[in-house]
Amino acid sequence: KFSKNVLMPLVTAASLLVAAPAALAETFKMAVGDAAGGTQWELGTTFAKLFQQKTGGKHKVDLFPNGQLGSEEDTINNAAMGTLDFSILAVNNITPFSPTVGLLTMPYLIQSADEAKKLTQGEIGKELTDNTVRDAGVRIVGWAYSGFRVLTNSKRPVKTLEDLKGLVIRVPKNEIMISSYQAWGINPTPMSWSETFTGLQQRVVDGQDNPYITVSAMKFYEVQKYITNIRYIFSLEPLVVSEQVFKSQKPEVQKAILEAGQEATEHSFKYLLETEDKIKKDLAARGMQITDPANGEKEWIAKATTAVWPKFYKSIGGKEKLDRAQKVLGR
Ligand code: MLT
């Protein structure tokens, strides 16, 4: 039988273990905002496999999908404090912490998967990574390329801005995305990603936007019927590591993290190109009706770029950042 005095040190030792910095753990924890099976999962599992190989099995990563470790915003706070090691989340949910990454969510700036790659790699990607370390305490070490965000809803086919009126659309808590819908004539409902499925299921909101692959991984086809290819943002979903955790690693482990991140990023790009079309067909086979906006996206583009871009020049670091991005994209 343990006396109280014998028990005390055991309790203290146990709580010390729980409170030990993540850096000491051989197994790292990775939060994944989406359910298993989408582009975030593909990036995370590929990274985990490569990282384990590169450290000769000394380090391993456990993935926690579907917002199990909190909303995507919570995971940034936790990683910044060093209580979470890794997180994969949409870049739009980092913008509130590090506004310059908002460049990547400027509506209709990115017009293809290749352009998304160009902006995230090279000089601009490096600058955004440095800013994110400075502003949010997390380091971007990889990217999931998830495809263009399309609008889904449960009520009716949306082809024109007129059709949008009266629909309650969930958006991330991201000012640029909120402003985009306002430019299109409605007031959207900001809601955490982790609450979105339930929000759609319980009809608190009628619709939302995300890429085909995410719509499929999240099983939104169970609660949504119509898709409109508004393609206003190319969804980029970074893998971030807590800067505190990263800094506390030995140089060879840091190197393994960076290399595994880069290789997993390359894999993610290929995965998107190989998978997106199949998933689009599968969503149609499951009964979703997919449509393009009437007259292409012209009206949507014109309204969003004129009303939204100038409003966010300051937060992305000045109009010159957008001009530079367009130059990189050859415009
Ligand atoms: C969001 O809509 O909040 C995110 O883009 C969802 C995601 O992380 O896939």
Side-chain angles (χ1 to χ4, degrees), residues 33-41 66 72 90 92 144-150 152 170 193 196-197 200 208-221 227 235-237 271-272 275-276 279-280 283 288:
D34 292 352
T39 43
Q40 290 189 0
W41 185 251
N66 225 357
E72 293 194 348
N92 45 267
Y145 298 99
S146 299
F148 282 105
R149 296 179 79 105
V150 295
T152 70
R170 172 270 170 181
W193 181 231
T196 303
F197 185 90
L200 294 167
Q208 62 85 48
D209 67 68
N210 258 292
Y212 291 124
I213 296 183
T214 312
V215 169
S216 167
M218 299 302 291
K219 297 194 167 47
F220 282 176
Y221 48 79
I227 294 186
S235 184
L236 288 160
E237 315 209 79
Y271 175 80
L272 171 72
T275 321
E276 194 177 36
I279 289 194
K280 183 176 174 187
L283 291 173
M288 293 199 82

Side-chain angles (χ1 to χ4, degrees), residues 42-54:
E42 193 67 25
L43 179 75
T45 49
T46 307
F47 173 86
K49 191 178 79 196
L50 291 167
F51 180 54
Q52 192 167 354
Q53 276 167 10
K54 286 175 191 293

